[in-house]
C-alpha cells in the first residue's frame, strides 16, 4: 500500500507541475516495491504451484497480502455506514496508485498528459475500491443486522454451506472484477489479461473462506437452528 500511495502522490504532483517532488515519490514507490519483492512469500504466483503444499502456501500468502485491503474496507464501512462508499474512500487512493504504476509500464499510455493519467487512475481506483467492498460488506451487514434471525428453518449444515458459498463466490467476483477494472483504467485499449483476472478471482475465493466462517458463526448465533444437518 505504501508504494501505491507514493505512486499516486507522485502522479498528482506531476500533474501540478511539481516534477522534482514527483520524482522523489516515484523513487520511494520503486524502493518499497523492491522491498516487498524481497520479502514476498516464496510461492506468490499460481505458476509456482505444483502440489498441495505449495497450493496451501500460496493461499496463506494471498490472505496475508489481501488482509490490509479487507481491513481498510471494514474500517471505511464502519466510518461511513456504507460498504461501497467506505471501500472507495478507504482503498481508492491505494488502488489508484496501483493503476498509476501499471500506466508506467505502457509506453502508449505514458504519452498522455499527467492530468489525464491521474483522472483515469483516480476514477479506476474508486471503482476498484468499491467493488472490493462486496465481501466485507456482506459480512458487516450480517453483524449489523443479525441476519440469521430469518434462518430458523435452516439446519446448521445448510447455514454453513450457504455462508461459505457466499463468502467464496462474492469475494472471487469482487477481486476478479477489481483486477479487470484496474486493467481497463490503466489502458482501455489493451486486451484484458484473463490469466491475471482469473488468478485474482481465485485469490479472492481463498480470502472468502474466513469470511464464510465468520458469516456462518454470526448466522448460527442469531438463527438458533433446530437441527444440525
Amino acid at each position: 500500500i505504501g508504494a501505491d500511495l507514493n505512486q499516486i502522490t507522485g502522479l498528482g504532483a506531476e500533474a501540478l507541475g511539481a516534477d522534482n517532488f514527483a520524482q522523489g515519490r516515484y523513487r520511494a514507490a520503486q524502493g518499497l516495491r523492491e522491498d516487498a519483492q524481497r520479502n514476498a512469500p516464496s510461492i506468490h504466483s499460481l505458476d509456482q504451484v505444483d502440489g498441495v503444499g505449495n497450493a496451501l502456501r500460496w493461499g496463506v500468502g494471498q490472505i496475508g497480502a489481501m488482509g490490509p485491503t479487507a481491513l481498510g474496507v471494514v474500517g471505511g464501512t464502519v466510518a461511513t455506514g456504507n460498504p461501497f462508499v467506505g471501500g472507495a474512500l478507504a482503498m481508492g487512493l491505494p488502488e489508484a496508485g496501483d493503476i498509476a504504476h501499471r500506466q508506467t509500464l505502457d509506453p502508449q499510455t505514458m504519452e498522455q498528459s499527467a492530468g489525464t493519467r491521474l483522472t483515469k487512475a483516480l476514477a479506476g481506483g474508486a471503482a476498484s475500491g468499491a467493488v472490493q467492498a462486496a465481501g466485507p460488506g456482506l459480512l458487516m451487514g450480517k453483524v449489523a443486522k443479525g441476519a440469521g434471525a430469518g434462518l430458523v428453518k435452516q439446519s446448521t449444515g445448510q447455514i454453513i454451506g450457504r455462508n461459505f458459498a457466499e463468502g467464496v463466490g462474492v469475494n472471487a467476483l469482487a477481486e476478479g472484477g477489481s483486477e479487470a477494472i484496474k486493467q481497463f483504467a490503466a489502458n482501455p485499449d489493451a486486451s484484458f489479461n484473463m490469466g491475471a483476472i482469473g488468478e485474482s478471482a481465485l485469490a479472492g475465493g481463498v480470502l472468502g473462506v474466513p469470511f464464510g466462517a465468520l458469516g456462518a458463526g454470526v448466522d448460527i448465533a442469531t438463527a438458533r437452528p433446530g437441527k444440525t444437518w
Side-chain angles (χ1 to χ4, degrees):
I1 291 179
D4 294 328
L5 289 175
N6 273 284
Q7 190 75 36
I8 195 62
T9 301
L11 181 54
E14 183 182 350
L16 294 173
D19 292 340
N20 289 337
F21 180 79
Q23 291 304 314
R25 293 307 87 212
Y26 291 149
R27 287 193 294 271
Q30 181 61 31
L32 288 171
R33 284 193 190 89
E34 291 173 354
D35 288 342
Q37 289 174 352
R38 283 192 292 268
N39 297 319
S42 57
I43 306 298
H44 57 270
S45 170
L46 280 179
D47 294 337
Q48 299 172 289
V49 175
D50 57 4
V52 175
N54 282 347
L56 290 174
R57 282 189 283 273
W58 176 82
V60 171
Q62 292 302 309
I63 292 175
M66 298 168 69
T69 298
L71 290 175
V73 170
V74 170
T77 300
V78 171
T80 64
N82 184 302
F84 299 105
V85 174
L89 291 177
M91 297 308 302
L93 283 179
E95 293 296 283
D98 185 13
I99 294 168
H101 173 62
R102 295 174 188 225
Q103 290 173 341
T104 65
L105 305 178
D106 184 77
Q108 180 181 353
T109 299
M110 291 303 292
E111 293 178 359
Q112 300 172 358
S113 68
T116 296
R117 287 183 280 119
L118 177 63
T119 299
K120 291 180 177 180
L122 290 175
S128 178
V131 167
Q132 287 184 348
L138 179 66
L139 176 61
M140 294 293 289
K142 289 180 182 291
V143 174
K145 299 176 182 178
L151 302 175
V152 177
K153 295 182 180 180
Q154 293 189 14
S155 68
T156 300
Q158 289 172 324
I159 291 174
I160 292 173
R162 183 181 55 78
N163 273 276
F164 273 94
E166 286 180 353
V168 171
V170 170
N171 279 280
L173 288 173
E175 291 301 325
S178 170
E179 173 64 22
I181 288 170
K182 289 188 286 187
Q183 288 184 22
F184 181 79
N187 185 355
D189 297 323
S191 299
F192 284 111
N193 182 340
M194 298 307 298
I197 292 173
E199 184 164 344
S200 293
L202 184 57
V206 171
L207 181 65
V209 171
F211 279 98
L214 290 171
V218 172
D219 274 352
I220 291 170
T222 55
R224 297 182 179 85
K227 56 183 180 178
T228 303
W229 302 103

